[in-house]
Amino acid sequence: MSSNTVKIGIVCASSRFSKERAEAVEDWMAQHHPDREISVVFHPACFLKHGHFAGDDRARADAFVEFANDRRIDAIWFARGGYGSCRIAASVIPRLNAVARKKRYLGYSDAGSLLAGMYRAGFEHLAHGPMASDSVRDDATAKGALAWLTTGRTDWIEPSLARDPRPAVAFNLTIIDQLVGTELEPDLAGHVLMLEEVSEAAYRIDRMMFHLTSQESIRRVAGIRLGRVSDVTPNDPDFGQTPEEIVRYWCLRSGIEFLGDADIGHDVANKIVPFGRRG
């Protein structure tokens, strides 16, 4: 880390990000870190607009690489999720240098595509956890995220990690389901795989679990934990099973151990899951 201020670079690899939300993040930082021992800097590309995205694929990729490779930036924080990081991940990762490999990277949701590919490429300091936009939603969440980004240690860690020494990862269900069989899929053999989801119908959760647990690579995980599945969209007729019942069903059918719940989700209580082994 830098000798004085710890500088965290904020990048947007996916959907658009508003200047108003960035100003809210900066206001939060000014209130909670007035002495600027920790500072955040938004890459200007965060505010580009290209249809759905925060700039076109090249702009988002170049911005990520620039901040990741910059010695003056100590850690990388994803601004928000949405969709789009899978479009740039394969081109970004080969461009990352030794400086980039030493940094911590934190995000969830769509950021999972980049985190997965980087984990496959041997990056050691990655975590599923709160994004920069979450800092304006809950003080404890933001403080926990900043603690991990600056030191690698935080109280905002998913609780089961304290009692299970096996390597772990966490992903949004849709993201990891779409990554299997691609050049971004990491080797998760022996890992505890934690899943969370938001705004999907129960039948879609069932279909994704069928596909995910049918993969030989996923059947080599140590087990699956289920985080919060929120805002389940209605379906007529009702599917008749809860998300946990669905996940338990496919774990049993595929021979994957169901390990219980995980304190992660698309919400302010979303805890941090560092990828791989801890300590």
Side-chain angles (χ1 to χ4, degrees):
M1 292 293 181
S2 303
S3 58
N4 297 310
T5 299
V6 176
K7 184 178 290 186
I8 298 171
I10 299 179
V11 296
C12 201
S14 307
S15 303
R16 293 179 179 182
F17 194 72
S18 71
K19 288 187 176 180
E20 292 75 17
R21 180 55 66 89
E23 289 170 356
V25 173
E26 289 170 341
D27 289 345
W28 188 95
M29 291 296 300
Q31 177 184 354
H32 292 84
H33 296 280
D35 55 359
R36 294 182 63 81
E37 81 280 12
I38 304 173
S39 70
V40 296
V41 55
F42 285 86
H43 194 287
C46 287
F47 312 116
L48 297 177
K49 296 180 179 179
H50 184 79
H52 167 92
F53 306 106
D56 62 21
D57 291 351
R58 180 173 180 177
R60 300 195 318 282
D62 287 349
F64 185 88
V65 171
E66 179 185 343
F67 266 23
N69 288 347
D70 190 337
R71 294 182 182 276
R72 298 167 297 178
I73 302 291
D74 297 300
I76 300 295
W77 207 5
F78 289 94
R80 60 158 298 178
Y83 170 70
S85 70
C86 67
R87 296 168 62 106
I88 67 171
S91 66
V92 160
I93 294 169
R95 298 167 60 190
L96 300 178
N97 63 19
V99 171
R101 285 184 172 269
K102 296 179 181 179
K103 294 179 182 177
R104 297 185 185 91
Y105 299 80
L106 181 64
Y108 68 106
S109 188
D110 188 70
S113 293
L114 257 171
L115 295 174
M118 293 169 73
Y119 192 52
R120 173 174 175 149
F123 282 70
E124 297 180 352
H125 309 296
L126 312 168
H128 176 285
M131 290 182 282
S133 56
D134 293 321
S135 66
V136 298
R137 300 167 60 198
D138 185 80
D139 287 353
T141 304
K143 291 175 181 177
L146 287 169
W148 186 84
L149 281 165
T150 56
T151 70
R153 299 181 299 276
T154 182
D155 293 333
W156 203 254
I157 291 289
E158 202 287 322
S160 70
L161 298 177
R163 58 183 184 271
D164 191 334
R166 293 175 292 188
V169 292
F171 291 100
N172 172 266
L173 172 58
T174 298
I175 296 300
I176 188 61
D177 182 51
Q178 293 294 304
L179 291 181
V180 292
T182 73
E183 59 189 325
L184 301 178
E185 181 187 3
D187 180 2
L188 300 182
H191 287 62
V192 174
L193 172 59
M194 302 187 194
L195 302 172
E196 49 84 14
E197 189 53 88
V198 64
S199 300
E200 294 286 358
Y203 78 90
R204 290 180 58 84
I205 295 167
D206 189 78
R207 183 164 57 199
M208 286 188 285
M209 285 302 301
F210 150 70
H211 182 254
L212 185 68
T213 59
S214 295
Q215 309 303 313
E216 288 301 319
S217 58
I218 297 299
R219 290 185 177 186
R220 293 196 291 270
V221 301
I224 288 177
R225 286 190 174 276
L226 181 63
R228 288 177 289 283
V229 179
S230 56
D231 190 29
V232 177
T233 57
N235 184 71
D236 186 18
D238 183 72
F239 191 71
Q241 286 184 302
T242 67
E244 180 176 328
E245 288 171 337
I246 292 169
V247 173
R248 283 181 176 273
Y249 171 84
W250 287 108
C251 282
L252 179 63
R253 182 161 167 172
S254 61
I256 298 172
E257 184 177 1
F258 180 75
L259 298 172
D261 61 4
D263 193 4
I264 61 172
H266 270 67
D267 51 45
V268 296
N270 185 30
K271 298 300 192 298
I272 293 173
V273 179
F275 282 23
R277 296 186 182 279
R278 274 100 36 222

